[in-house]
Amino acid sequence: MKSRSLLLFCVAITALPVVVRAQEPKYPITIIAPGKGPFTFPQGYQTPWDQIQILVTEKMASNLFVLHGSQGLDPAHPDASGGRAMALFGPDGVLMVDTQNRQVAEKTLNAIRSFTGAPIRILVNTHIHGDHTGANAFFAKQGALIYAQENLRNEMLRPPMRGDGQPAPAPDMAGVPLATYRYQPDTRGQPAVTFNMNGETVDFIPMMPSHTAGDTIVRFRKANVIYIEDFYRNFGYPFADQANGGSIRGMLDAVDLIEELAGPDMTLVPGHGTLVKKNDLLAYRAMLVNIMAKVKTLRDQGKSLKEVLAANLTAPYDKTTQGDTQQSKDRFITEAYDEVQDFPPVVDGKRAMPRRP
Ligand SMILES: [Zn+2]
């Protein structure tokens, strides 16, 4: 028995390098693409969190996986529930980018445990939204030290008023980032933090106020990947969270920075929708410029928000915009309307936006 298992062991180690070389896969690998829709939900529909699965949907390298939720169940993100999370793993532990919704925290951990048992050590938040930071406290309790822009921490500690004028609930202090850095215009595009882990070099690059005032993109140099979060999207119309300091003009600057930072073959991982290359951002940029100019012209003529919405300015883009809904269009046009005149400044990561009934 002993000599037979020794023999098998020798065969296994001599055969291994050959097998690895023969199976060298080409990254990125999409395992489950986000859904295309169209998706509709009945009035009063509530997300059935118990039915949502968190799955490995893309592999960016042998030690860098993407986690995303199932399609068709979450009306906020019907293409795939939640915001993409990423995990870099290996002997140095796990570095996570974003944490998915609070309601699926255990499932997100289980998905990570399906490919690594390494301790969760580092977590970076790309922006404050619940589909990206909801399970922060849960993962901090697993051992993660949380990094983010100082503005994100401020947005969490002192959240803007909700749309209905009510104060937002107090944050769970366990999920508030402990390690912070700032965006500085004179070092635009340079990493605020760099980790050397698991054979990879990871850069946290703070962004100008764009999707929010606390955005960070995450570059994996060896894998040739940047997680570009939500200032770009290809499911639904663009969303600048102005109350949290975002702006459409900032999203334009963010796209321009990616044009500088990314090579033509680099894979860009948005928070939602499909993976892209930097050339895919150009049509999106052109749409932002076009809509801003048209809304400005109408507002300068004294048109009301209602009249600008009725002008249906997104019509030329509806056919090519996946996840196009009236709500997503109206939100985009309203943002542009608010931005072209009397746009409040960012203070502590927030803007005092006008409230509408
Ligand atoms: Zn998102």
Side-chain angles (χ1 to χ4, degrees), residues 273-326:
T274 56
L275 306 187
V276 289
K277 308 279 185 192
K278 75 173 189 179
N279 275 352
D280 296 317
L281 271 52
L282 297 176
Y284 179 83
R285 188 190 194 286
M287 174 173 70
L288 293 176
V289 170
N290 178 278
I291 292 293
M292 281 291 274
K294 284 184 173 156
V295 171
K296 183 173 186 328
T297 302
L298 293 179
R299 190 157 186 189
D300 287 350
Q301 290 166 6
K303 301 274 195 251
S304 68
L305 173 61
K306 209 174 155 198
E307 288 167 319
V308 176
L309 290 172
N312 199 16
L313 298 175
T314 53
Y317 305 106
D318 288 351
K319 268 211 187 81
T320 50
T321 301
Q322 227 169 59
D324 158 35
T325 62
Q326 194 60 47

Side-chain angles (χ1 to χ4, degrees), residues 89-149:
F89 57 96
D92 300 323
V94 176
L95 179 149
M96 285 180 76
V97 182
D98 290 344
T99 57
Q100 284 285 356
N101 286 297
R102 177 184 53 80
Q103 294 91 336
V104 292
E106 293 271 1
K107 292 178 191 177
T108 303
L109 178 62
N110 289 343
I112 293 172
R113 289 292 169 244
S114 73
F115 54 79
T116 180
I120 314 263
R121 294 181 66 190
I122 308 292
L123 162 61
V124 58
N125 285 147
T126 65
H127 63 284
I128 192 172
H129 293 152
D131 53 332
H132 296 260
T133 63
N136 266 18
F138 176 90
F139 282 99
K141 285 169 196 158
Q142 301 294 320
L145 177 60
I146 309 178
Y147 287 72
Q149 267 209 57

Side-chain angles (χ1 to χ4, degrees), residues 77 82-84 98 126-127 129-132 211 227 229-230 233 239 270-272:
H77 298 294
R84 276 196 178 86
D98 290 344
T126 65
H127 63 284
H129 293 152
D131 53 332
H132 296 260
H211 180 56
Y227 184 100
E229 42 100 14
D230 289 11
R233 65 191 306 147
F239 174 37
H272 310 275

Side-chain angles (χ1 to χ4, degrees), residues 2 20 28 33 39 66 79 81 121 147 174 182 213 243-244 290 300 345 347:
K2 241 185 194 164
V20 170
F39 299 100
V66 173
D79 55 326
S81 177
R121 294 181 66 190
Y147 287 72
R182 287 182 182 178
N244 274 310
N290 178 278
D300 287 350
V347 178

